[in-house]
Amino acid sequence: MKKCFGIIVASICLLSFTACVSNKKIVLPAPENLTGIEISENTSESVKKLTDKEGISKLINGIKEHSKSTNMESINDQPTNIDHYIIIKFYHKDAKESPSIAYVYKKKDSNYVEQPYAGIWRLENEIVQTIDAHLLK
């Protein structure tokens, strides 16, 4: 009887642990629904615009493919306790949704992309370097 009870308790614990794990994917606008993207740094007034469909598609797909859920929530309009971050504004063809915003930043040797009130995802160095390259153009 004790063995059966132990198996039931262990099963419930395992089930509750796996239920808490989320692989929530980042949701970004479809490239064909955008007129352009603006990339800037919070510490600079310089803004780089990306309007070619191929570049827009490459950036969006890169972020989607190279991000992994952290299960952390975003509860602010912009990152807090972060001195330096990159602002990415997505300008929609449907002006009432324009622009949607994502922030890219480094914290404790990891890169993150944050969508206000939607979530925070870990971002691979490869895509951060691509975003930085757009800023240097």
Side-chain angles (χ1 to χ4, degrees), residues 16-107:
S16 64
F17 175 73
T18 57
C20 294
V21 175
S22 170
N23 284 328
K24 186 168 113 175
K25 299 287 184 188
I26 190 167
V27 177
L28 296 173
E32 60 272 7
N33 295 334
L34 296 175
T35 59
I37 295 175
E38 286 184 355
I39 303 172
S40 62
E41 296 176 285
N42 69 316
T43 58
S44 172
E45 292 184 22
S46 176
V47 175
K48 303 296 179 177
K49 294 183 181 184
L50 187 60
T51 56
D52 66 286
K53 297 298 179 192
E54 184 179 328
I56 291 171
S57 183
K58 184 178 177 181
L59 181 63
I60 289 174
N61 291 332
I63 292 172
K64 284 181 178 180
E65 292 170 9
H66 297 282
S67 61
K68 183 178 178 184
S69 178
T70 63
N71 296 321
M72 293 189 288
E73 293 182 14
S74 173
I75 56 172
N76 295 301
D77 290 334
Q78 62 191 37
T80 55
N81 300 320
I82 304 293
D83 294 330
H84 177 76
Y85 52 86
I86 296 170
I87 305 163
I88 304 174
K89 293 183 181 181
F90 302 94
Y91 286 90
H92 302 259
K93 289 180 181 175
D94 181 6
K96 70 179 181 179
E97 297 178 15
S98 238
S100 58
I101 298 176
Y103 299 95
V104 175
Y105 56 88
K106 187 172 195 131
K107 184 176 182 181

